[in-house]
Amino acid sequence: MAALQQQQQLQRQLLAQQLLLQQQQAAAAAAAAAAAALAAQPAASAASTSASTQDRKSREIYVGNLAIGVVTSDMLRELFNTILANQVSDPVNAPPVVNVNLDSSGAGKGPQSGRFAFIEFRTRELTDAAIQLDKLELCGRPMNIGRPKGYVPPSQQQQILTLTSAVMAAMGGAAPAPGASALASASSLPVSGPTNVVLLEGMVTCGTIRDENERKEILEDVQQEVVKCGPVLGLAVPMPPASVTNAEPSRVYIKYSSAAEADRCRGMMDKRKFDDNVVQALFVTEGEFVRAQGGEWVAKPGLLMQGSAAPAGALPGPPGMGLPGLGAAAVPAAAPAVGGLALPPGFTLPPGFTLAGALPGLGLPK
């Protein structure tokens, strides 16, 4: 009996030790989870702040070379609101301009006047339209209009977000494939957001594109069509290598100045029929465009990590078709109007503002 009681007491002690060990392990796991959550909060907050900053910068322009003591924030607001009024549905209650930050260095020389200003617009499309007004004269001085410092194009933003997500997933305990890194994983991801480059696949077969005369005609037809979506900065038709059969779809790359213009092109061309062929339109990186312009046939088009520079030794395609092997055509931008100013289609000037003089400028109402 004494031996049995001693054995039961020993079992109770072992059970108590097991329960204590389990409690300690649970407490340690909870503490680790809390520490991980606490560490993730600054990163998430920083990521949120960065995204908010990039969104604002994508809707902001820098306006420089202003007449100190003459140009005010109200004047700039009225000017851009009036010129871009037809670009919004309700210009009275939701005008194009959201905010105007004017340089304070001109204090004492006029009411709210300075050398430069930052103007925030309601949408990215309005910002793209406002940038086209670069060198527009105000009070006898051409305004320098451009992107602010720290602006990141949408295509690069998408790449940064994808890489950041991959790195955070790896740090969070996701087991990468043997020998693979976060960058290697991201390299296989397709481009999901709009970029300023569109790839048209399947307009004609590779056998057709290999013919010099056919290739020139295809480029002319494409240029006449895609220019409807915005100024085309360049076209590229890489020559298929010998390993690609004549029956496979050809590729035509179109580069625009903005992702909004490329988005319009993709919407217009995707699933469209061309000589009984169904066209597939997709976004690609600017790095892939450079490679295609250099004559490279990319193994897997439309991926994020396609490179950002031309291959070693590659030369930019010359205007026109140039060398037969390159298949690249540089499309010149529209020539400016006489006097250096051409308002884009649909733009209007505010009441009382006129274009006058040898160099067109904005004449302020007297």
Side-chain angles (χ1 to χ4, degrees):
M1 182 67 69
L4 180 61
Q5 291 176 350
Q6 186 178 7
Q7 184 178 4
Q8 291 176 348
Q9 183 178 2
L10 181 61
Q11 290 177 347
R12 286 194 295 270
Q13 290 177 350
L14 291 175
L15 181 60
Q17 291 177 355
Q18 290 177 353
L19 290 175
L20 179 61
L21 181 62
Q22 290 177 356
Q23 291 175 354
Q24 291 175 345
Q25 291 176 344
L38 186 61
Q41 285 180 359
S45 177
S48 176
T49 303
S50 177
S52 176
T53 301
Q54 286 301 328
D55 176 68
R56 178 178 56 80
K57 284 189 176 295
S58 67
R59 294 182 291 102
E60 191 177 57
I61 64 171
Y62 166 84
V63 182
N65 197 35
L66 300 177
I68 300 178
V70 179
V71 177
T72 66
S73 58
D74 290 339
M75 186 183 299
L76 290 171
R77 184 186 299 271
E78 179 184 358
L79 172 63
F80 283 95
N81 275 341
T82 308
I83 293 179
L84 300 172
N86 61 347
Q87 307 289 326
V88 296
S89 58
D90 189 357
V92 176
N93 298 316
V97 176
V98 174
N99 188 34
V100 177
N101 288 323
L102 194 62
D103 168 39
S104 60
S105 63
K109 300 181 180 180
Q112 299 179 345
S113 61
R115 296 172 302 155
F116 60 88
F118 292 95
I119 302 178
E120 181 183 352
F121 292 91
R122 198 164 296 277
T123 65
R124 297 183 180 184
E125 290 74 18
L126 289 169
T127 310
D128 294 337
I131 287 179
Q132 298 181 44
L133 298 172
D134 185 33
K135 304 307 178 186
L136 189 67
E137 288 195 6
L138 178 62
C139 301
R141 303 184 68 169
M143 293 184 292
N144 296 327
I145 302 177
R147 298 287 186 182
K149 290 183 178 180
Y151 168 75
V152 179
S155 58
Q156 295 183 19
Q157 290 184 30
Q158 181 63 36
Q159 294 182 26
I160 293 172
L161 288 174
T162 303
L163 292 175
T164 303
S165 300
V167 172
M168 291 182 67
M171 294 176 61
S181 65
L183 293 179
S185 301
S187 66
S188 62
L189 296 175
V191 176
S192 58
T195 68
N196 64 324
V197 181
V198 177
L199 168 60
L200 304 181
E201 280 192 311
M203 295 189 67
V204 293
T205 62
C206 286
T208 301
I209 217 68
R210 283 187 168 111
D211 183 271
E212 180 72 17
N213 294 327
E214 291 282 358
R215 189 165 70 254
K216 288 183 179 180
E217 291 183 6
I218 294 297
L219 270 175
E220 292 175 358
D221 292 343
V222 171
Q223 180 179 344
Q224 292 177 1
E225 192 66 18
V226 300
V227 76
K228 299 176 183 178
C229 302
V232 177
L233 301 184
L235 294 176
V237 183
M239 183 66 69
S243 59
V244 177
T245 65
N246 286 337
E248 294 187 46
S250 63
R251 300 173 183 174
V252 180
Y253 293 82
I254 305 112
K255 179 181 178 182
Y256 290 93
S257 60
S258 70
E261 296 165 345
D263 193 25
R264 289 195 292 270
C265 175
R266 181 180 181 277
M268 179 181 70
M269 299 298 295
D270 191 40
K271 302 298 185 293
R272 186 170 175 176
K273 283 193 174 183
F274 189 88
D275 289 344
D276 295 330
N277 297 315
V278 179
V279 179
Q280 181 184 5
L282 62 151
F283 295 113
V284 299
T285 63
E286 191 166 349
E288 182 174 336
F289 173 81
V290 173
R291 295 168 65 180
Q293 194 176 39
E296 181 180 353
W297 184 271
V298 179
K300 293 182 179 181
L303 299 183
L304 279 175
M305 301 295 289
Q306 287 296 340
S308 58
L315 296 177
M321 285 308 299
L323 299 177
L326 294 181
V331 180
V338 176
L341 172 64
L343 284 178
F347 286 141
T348 57
L349 292 175
F353 288 76
T354 59
L355 292 175
L359 290 176
L362 287 178
L364 294 175
K366 297 181 179 178

